[in-house]
Amino acid sequence: MVDGENEVAPLPRHRFRDFLLREQTRQNDAKVQVDFYVKENSFKERLQFYFIKNQRSSLRVRVFYLSLEVLSCILYISRVLKDSSEAEYKWASIIWVHRCPILWHAQVSVAVICLFIRILLTYLRYKGNIWQQVLQIAFILEMIDTVPFVIGIFYCPFRNLFIPVFLNCWLAKRALENMVNDLHRAIHRTQSAMFNQLLILISTIICLIFTFICGVEHLQRAGKKVTVFDSFYFCIVTFSTVGFGDVLPDVWPSKLLVVIMIFVALVVLPIQFEELAYLWMERQKSGGDYSKQRAETERHVVLCVSSVKIDLLMDFLNEFYAHPILQEYYVIILCPAEQDAAVRRVLRIPMWSHRVIYLQGSALKDQDLVRAKLGNAEACFILTCRCEADRNAADHQTILRAFAVKDFAPSCTLFVQILKPENKFHVKFADHIVCEEEFKYAMLALNCICPATSTFITLLVHTSQGLEGQHSPEDWHRIYGKCSGNEVYSIVLKESIFFSEYEGKSFPYASFNAYNKYGISLIGVCPDDTKNILLNPGPQHIMEPLDVCFYISLTKEENSCFKAKKGNKTQPPTSSAITSMGTMAIDMQEINIPSSLGSSLSIETNTSEKRKPNMVPVLVLPDSPSFQTGNLLIDESKSPCQPCTRNEGSNGYIKGYPPDLPYIGSSPILCHLRKEKAPKCCMQLEKTCNHKDKEDVKAYGLKNKLIIVSAETTGNGLYNFILPLRASYRSENELCPIVLLLEHDLDDLLRCGVSFAANMVVVDKESTMSAEEDYMADAKTIVNVQTLFRLFSGLNIITELTHPANMRFMQFSVKDGHTMAFSKLEKKEREKGSNLSFIFRLPFAAGRVFSIGMLDTLLYQCFVKDYMITITKLLLGLETTPKSGFLCSMSITEEVLCIETYGRLYEMLSSTVGDIPIGIYRTESQILEPPQTPQSQMSDKLSVFEEEKDPEEQQQGPDIQTHSLRRRSMQWASNLLGPWQAEREADRLSQQRGILLSCSERQELAELVKKRMKNLGLSTWGFDETNNDQSSHSYALINPSPDTRLELNDIVYIIRKDPVSLKLNNTDNSMRSDLQIRDRNTKNNL
């Protein structure tokens, strides 16, 4: 029973023949086409669809109706001009007029058609309430102007009845408005409210004037007749409130009409003007549209931002329009916020008013992108607001804008600015990307090992002519300002006058000879076969015709004028863009080579037997105490042979890639790694553990000086700070310990080793970058740095600010005369229109402070120089390319001063080790006046008493008499000058008193710090006390002239060739030589 219930019925069996029969039957059946969304319409619904609902057909009907109304008005004017009849009674001429038969037939025809259309439209719009349609003004006017003509067809006396046909102008006005609406619907275009309101205003004024003219002309038939022109003249004079009085209405109906028309004009026109003004103000806020005709004939770029600040706008405009080829471009600003008063004032300046257009809108709306004509734009810049409290949220808005722009215009070149590095991979599709925190932390790191790298990079990416500071009395102002005008340019070798003659030569040979001859610095190339930019590829790279050369110069080659110099060729080059031709060999008689070099002197030879050597034989200087270049030479035994393998070092380091990347999209760079991972407990200074007994940094027994990073929180950006400091191309003796300080108490500073640290980097917290007042975002950072500067004046403090204008408050001192002088110089440069007026501030010039906002110009320059981001990343160590060099520095010692000039140093470095110098970091000292009474003051005080000793001094001899006369003359001059001399002496005394007070204050603070160190059990040895009588200022020189004299303790920026590629190249050459020897031996045996 159970088995029977569980059995499954077998499936029916089908034969193949049955399937064929069913297929034939299906094909023979008749197919029926079904149309969906079809409704049986009545006759009224069809008429409604044709006259009202369908845009194109209703547009035709409205155009036809408008033409009929205008024709009726023209026929009325024709009747008035031809009517010359006079009635027997005074008022009869107002009621009866004369019409010729032809004119009457034309007016009747027009009236019948208009009446039919009006009745038909009223019937089609009828929805149950007939009085709603009948009592409309348009229907009443239509009845008044057409029904008498229809009655005149059947009743002849009515043919000469006056009918106010001129009132049809108001029906024509309404028909015109409806026609414009249907026109916009037919072409699927959003109607412009501004255009619609302007059309209503103009049509209203025309109808008022036309009604006034026709009414006055007709009513004056009962009195003193006036022509149509006289009526028009009277209308204009009346509405303009002039009232000459030469034409006057003399009957009461015309006077009443004038009063009525004036009241109507006073009520209607102000309302229309108010609506128009309101729409105009709203349009001014939103910015209007950028016309399609302009977009097709002119070039423009679009700037998308969440809010426009005056500093951001001026930086963009000054940098964008600094290039001559961009003078004819237009800038369309697309911003969702309303422009503030400062931006509005700037955009009204004639310099920007005809080139910059502000549109209020969102990049996420296609309508606003259409208004900005993004599809025709040359490029789109998307900037992120760095003043937001949540920087991730600001990045998310930028990412959405980038998505919207790329979706709307895929072919538009996209420039994107991102704040956080972990958000960068979302916009990888953009053509150019600048991540703020990557560049910020990389420059902070390089400032610790290459001083003023931030200043060097900032000046390199700004467009300037090098005219800043040229009128200053200070020498360093003039040379520093001129060198700040250097930029990076590019040109193809075969098209260049600078480099075409060096085809087939090595890269260092071409670099030095171009520098010696033209004063430009060749820093990199882009080979045609690899398309990768290489900084200083080294002697193994041979210049090819299609290589793109990158060089530093005051101007590009296309804007240079070449003039041959006459005179002695051995004369050192002058500080100009064009220098005299030099020789590649060093004058060895002027360089003292120590005898300790011995057999290390070698002659450079070429491996090729057919090609001549590229350089004149010069000495190769090895790494010895006599030539201290810092990290100039790298120990080849410690250089990596294979970049993908880990090589063990001698000091507990191996070379490899970081095992863990902090965020997606970070660049894996070969760097120094510890052989063994340090315990986590040992990484915390404030706690003791089994591995260390003390709570300070000296428990680690560190050899190199510290780099302290003061931050409130940690972030992924610190990865870009550590990476350049631990890069594999750095020598192991340069690996300075890094201490991350998350507290800011004095005890914590002392425990982390601030007394013997080399550098201290202060990083502000992201949340403090936003404030109610924009410029107050840096208040906390400035006060913290000022506190550190007062406590540890000998510490090199490096920080970054949000606003460049706040750099003047770094290490602020009211009694510092130099700071006040630099402030005046900055104001003068700003008045002259300079974009780099801040460069003379001592903290910026020394590389102790910079603003990441200055690097916004890097993104703007990429529109003209698409290689600038790549070159900047290579210089900062954010990217590595095989065979590409890196930025480092060397120090000028007393033994290197024998080279004397920068040009000779360039020659020696390029010809021996293949390094390319690109600038100098110079520190100049200045001794302050000792706090004692000046000699003039002493002489003034003693002259009164010495005057009584004149008889005795006369017996002393001629020298003493002369000295006495000089003192008397000084006293006489002092008495003659009067109050001015006293005021000058008072200023001098107050300055000296300020120096004494500052010295005593520094000594008091130093004693306070020492006492606190003793209380904490820390040693005070190594605590640097500040020299109160000496101050210094530092500055960076980009590509100085060859005759620039080297000074002691100068730091030279150099681009060193890649040691990995050099090692691999030497290995390949040795393998080739071994194969050649084997081949020769084989041939000899045979």
Side-chain angles (χ1 to χ4, degrees), residues 954-968:
Q954 291 177 0
Q955 302 175 1
Q956 301 272 334
D959 295 337
I960 298 179
Q961 293 179 4
T962 304
H963 186 62
S964 177
L965 291 175
R966 183 179 64 84
R967 284 196 297 250
R968 291 180 182 180

Side-chain angles (χ1 to χ4, degrees), residues 74-195:
I74 295 174
L75 293 176
Y76 177 83
I77 296 297
S78 301
R79 197 272 308 165
V80 171
L81 295 176
K82 293 182 179 181
D83 187 10
S84 60
S85 62
E86 295 183 1
E88 297 179 358
Y89 301 98
K90 181 178 181 181
W91 301 103
S93 58
I94 299 178
I95 302 174
W96 304 100
V97 295
H98 175 73
R99 294 187 182 92
C100 63
I102 299 176
L103 183 62
W104 181 82
H105 285 90
Q107 286 184 326
V108 169
S109 302
V110 172
V112 170
I113 298 174
C114 291
L115 179 62
F116 174 76
I117 294 175
R118 175 59 58 183
I119 295 175
L120 180 61
L121 291 177
T122 304
Y123 167 72
L124 296 178
R125 294 194 179 108
Y126 171 70
K127 295 181 179 180
N129 189 358
I130 188 63
W131 294 107
Q132 183 180 2
Q133 301 295 328
V134 172
L135 296 179
Q136 289 184 357
I137 297 178
F139 185 82
I140 296 175
L141 287 179
E142 195 71 58
M143 295 297 107
I144 293 174
D145 294 338
T146 57
V147 171
F149 283 108
V150 177
I151 296 175
I153 298 175
F154 305 101
Y155 187 66
C156 294
F158 266 50
R159 295 183 179 180
N160 292 327
L161 179 68
F162 170 73
I163 302 172
V165 183
F166 58 85
L167 297 178
N168 283 340
C169 63
W170 298 97
L171 299 177
K173 169 184 173 295
R174 184 171 181 179
L176 179 62
E177 296 174 4
N178 296 331
M179 184 190 70
V180 172
N181 295 333
D182 291 339
L183 178 63
H184 284 90
R185 287 195 305 163
I187 63 178
H188 301 284
R189 179 180 177 182
T190 304
Q191 183 178 358
S192 173
M194 186 70 186
F195 173 78

